[in-house]
Amino acid sequence: MKILVAGASGALGRPLITRLRDAGHDVWGLAHRPESLKAIKTLGAHPLQGNALDRRSVFALVERIRPDVVIDQLTSLPASPFDLPKRIPADCTLRLEGGGNLFAAASTFGVQRYIQQLSGFYLDGGDGLATEASPLRLNAPGTIGQSACMYAQLERRLLSAPSMDTIGLRYGFFYGPGTWYWPDGAFSHHLAQGEVSLIGKGSSTFSFIHVDDAAQATVAALTAPPGIYNVVDNQPTKMSAWLPAYARWIGSAPPPHMNEQEALRQIGEESIYYQNNLTGASSRKAVETLSLNPQPLPWL
């Protein structure tokens, strides 16, 4: 198949292109920066320079390439999670407007299947794990609610396509090479510098996914039944358990503790919510349908 990967230079893009090429697919990688295009070419894909926000150029590229499948991995995330609040507006614009251009072009030029990156970590699972039927946390404070609303719009757009098979992959928190959660990643740096505290009881449950496992599931989605899938690991873990274990894994001192009142004064309501209200997600559907076999978390 001829496959167009948008946002192909990110942490997931590298293992995804490799797996697609190994499976014999003709892969085209869309990126904006010259260094990203060089990386795409090195991986054995055809580099395409373009700006997803330029609707005319996106339509021209899709018309020229005529892919069978489009994989939308468009993001505009910062190098450090500490900078996320400043980057959220640009990220939402790229995913909604830029992704909207890509989606419209795919619909216009006969793309058979559209695969969309979604979120598996801002779902509301109530007292248990979130399933594919669980809603997003639209009323959460700060950038959590802002991002959840953006993902909800992406899901609505995806499920509205009249002429394409559509797949939504709700990935967990990425870890692995090139991500925030790796020994040389930005989160590890902040943790080692004593800049990450455990707030309150740390009762949020996190679901991670290694980028290579996410890539495997994405390749499987090329032929899977259309719909939404939670692509997460099988070890949903409380913040209070995984954060100290992660610190030990990278050889860092245990994170300091901060009570909720102090956190509210210093870093705001969103930080308390992030560490104490999130629910993990169930991977059952992806395990059964996408043959997802996530590797165990290295820090547990």
Side-chain angles (χ1 to χ4, degrees):
M1 285 190 285
K2 185 181 291 186
I3 300 173
L4 172 60
V5 182
S9 61
L12 176 57
R14 291 186 289 274
L16 177 56
I17 288 175
T18 299
R19 282 183 172 267
L20 289 169
R21 291 289 295 139
D22 288 349
H25 298 295
D26 184 17
V27 185
W28 298 72
L30 176 64
H32 185 59
R33 296 177 300 172
E35 60 270 27
S36 299
L37 296 167
K38 183 178 179 181
I40 291 168
K41 185 175 182 179
T42 300
L43 291 168
H46 308 287
L48 285 173
Q49 185 166 27
N51 180 358
L53 296 173
D54 184 340
R55 187 176 179 89
R56 181 176 296 178
S57 70
V58 169
F59 269 65
L61 285 172
V62 175
E63 183 179 21
R64 177 165 64 90
I65 301 303
R66 296 282 180 161
D68 302 300
V69 179
V70 170
I71 301 177
D72 182 351
Q73 300 286 348
L74 291 170
T75 63
S76 181
L77 298 175
S80 166
F82 280 25
D83 296 327
L84 192 56
K86 295 184 291 186
R87 188 63 70 85
I88 283 293
D91 186 55
C92 289
T93 297
L94 179 61
R95 298 197 202 210
L96 293 175
E97 295 184 20
N101 293 335
L102 188 64
F103 188 82
S107 299
T108 299
F109 295 113
V111 169
Q112 299 168 16
R113 176 163 293 217
Y114 196 95
I115 300 174
Q116 174 73 60
Q117 179 184 138
L118 297 172
S119 170
F121 42 84
Y122 290 155
L123 301 170
D124 188 349
D127 295 330
L129 296 177
T131 68
E132 284 74 11
S134 297
L136 285 146
R137 295 177 174 271
L138 305 181
N139 297 317
T143 60
I144 298 173
Q146 192 175 355
S147 292
C149 288
M150 180 266 292
Y151 284 117
Q153 291 183 65
L154 292 179
E155 293 196 5
R156 287 195 297 270
R157 182 172 73 201
L158 191 69
L159 297 176
S160 71
S163 60
M164 294 186 293
D165 288 338
T166 56
I167 297 262
L169 300 179
R170 290 173 164 177
Y171 300 111
F173 289 100
F174 286 147
Y175 77 96
T179 73
W180 294 337
Y181 298 99
W182 205 238
D184 61 354
F187 181 82
S188 298
H189 173 76
H190 291 303
L191 184 60
Q193 295 298 313
E195 298 168 349
V196 179
S197 298
L198 184 63
I199 299 172
K201 294 181 179 180
S203 52
S204 281
T205 298
F206 277 56
S207 287
F208 289 90
I209 189 71
H210 193 283
V211 286
D212 194 51
D213 294 331
Q216 174 273 316
T218 307
V219 174
L222 294 173
T223 55
I228 302 292
Y229 296 84
N230 294 340
V231 179
V232 297
D233 65 15
N234 294 327
Q235 295 175 277
T237 310
K238 296 283 187 185
M239 183 97 185
S240 58
W242 77 256
L243 184 59
Y246 187 98
R248 290 192 296 272
W249 180 61
I250 64 170
S252 172
H257 185 267
M258 183 182 294
N259 63 47
E260 293 190 9
Q261 292 76 21
E262 185 180 359
L264 185 62
R265 288 195 304 269
Q266 292 191 21
I267 47 181
E269 178 187 8
E270 181 180 352
S271 62
I272 301 170
Y273 189 99
Y274 187 81
Q275 290 207 22
N276 289 277
N277 292 83
L278 300 186
T279 48
S282 169
S283 63
R284 175 179 293 182
K285 183 179 178 182
V287 168
E288 294 176 350
T289 309
L290 303 180
S291 299
L292 178 66
N293 183 25
Q295 55 196 278
L297 292 169
W299 52 84
L300 291 182

